[in-house]
Amino acid sequence: MTTPKIAVVFYSATGNVAALAEAVADGARKEGAEVRVRPVRELAPPAAVASNPRWQAWVDDNHYDEHATLDDLEWADGIALGSPTRFGGPAGQLKEFLDSTGGLWAKGKLLDKVGTAFTSSSTKHGGLESTILAMNNVLYHWGAIVLPLGYSDPHIMESGNPYGGSFVSRRSAAPDEEALAACRVQGARLARITRYVAAGLAG
Ligand SMILES: Cc1cc2nc3c(=O)[nH]c(=O)nc-3n(C[C@H](O)[C@H](O)[C@H](O)COP(=O)(O)O)c2cc1C
């Protein structure tokens, strides 16, 4: 049986999206996937980071020692993109990484990847869907197969966002079980569908 290779590539300033990324990864691993979980690089000036103690603490203390690279994207059969909602769209840090994929795109190396997206915003109507849809736009241009979360599990009727895993951070200090469970469903679905696609492409 094909082992799907999944890259979870994300940006997080204060840890919420990182927790969602780990839940997506857990869901994919439970489906038997090989998983890389990688944040993109912080690009904000030190003064901006220092202006927010939670941001500074995350930059100083997070446990990730490998950042996402283009090799991770080429390696993966399936890709999950995660970003906090920033003024209704993805963070510039993630966009900068995605904007560096032109070389892979030109060689057709991103075609037929299965892609999905997840996010966190402060408020319920603060742009969860618009952020996920904006990340998905990149997947369309890559020629990836865009995978929504859908109401693929009864749990999503509770968490309520078929576009992708999402957490409203005003609700609690860190992602709650409802948001984490939705992300685990998303990771498992990504691994499952990616397995079919990878096996089919391998002939
Ligand atoms: C510059 C900036 C812009 C933001 N824009 C939005 C927004 O448009 N809507 C919203 O609900 N929350 C917004 N937020 C809040 C973040 O999306 C939210 O705190 C998120 O949970 C942070 O995720 P992280 O801990 O992974 O960085 C913004 C935060 C910052 C710093």
Side-chain angles (χ1 to χ4, degrees), residues 53-187:
R54 283 192 65 206
W55 194 359
Q56 186 70 62
W58 175 256
V59 167
D60 291 344
D61 300 333
N62 77 75
H63 68 273
Y64 297 97
D65 40 38
E66 279 188 86
H67 288 107
T69 64
L70 296 178
D71 173 66
D72 295 322
L73 298 181
E74 196 171 350
W75 167 85
D77 305 308
I79 298 165
L81 299 176
S83 171
T85 291
R86 289 279 169 92
F87 304 121
Q93 289 86 339
L94 181 74
K95 189 62 170 55
E96 196 272 346
F97 176 71
L98 297 175
D99 287 355
S100 74
T101 62
L104 288 180
W105 168 83
K107 290 186 207 138
K109 299 277 189 187
L110 299 167
L111 284 169
D112 300 336
K113 310 276 184 188
V114 182
T116 197
F118 57 96
T119 188
S120 172
S121 69
S122 170
T123 58
K124 192 174 175 184
H125 299 291
L128 294 168
E129 283 96 325
S130 56
T131 301
I132 289 171
L133 292 171
M135 288 188 272
N136 285 352
N137 280 337
V138 176
L139 299 175
Y140 286 107
H141 283 258
W142 287 352
I145 300 158
V146 180
L147 184 72
L149 178 51
Y151 291 100
S152 53
D153 182 281
H155 173 79
I156 311 303
M157 295 303 285
E158 302 306 319
S159 58
N161 192 346
Y163 295 82
S166 49
F167 168 57
V168 176
S169 59
R170 194 163 280 249
R171 281 192 191 156
S172 57
D176 50 23
E177 184 49 29
E178 188 179 278
L180 295 173
C183 286
R184 285 194 288 269
V185 169
Q186 189 171 8

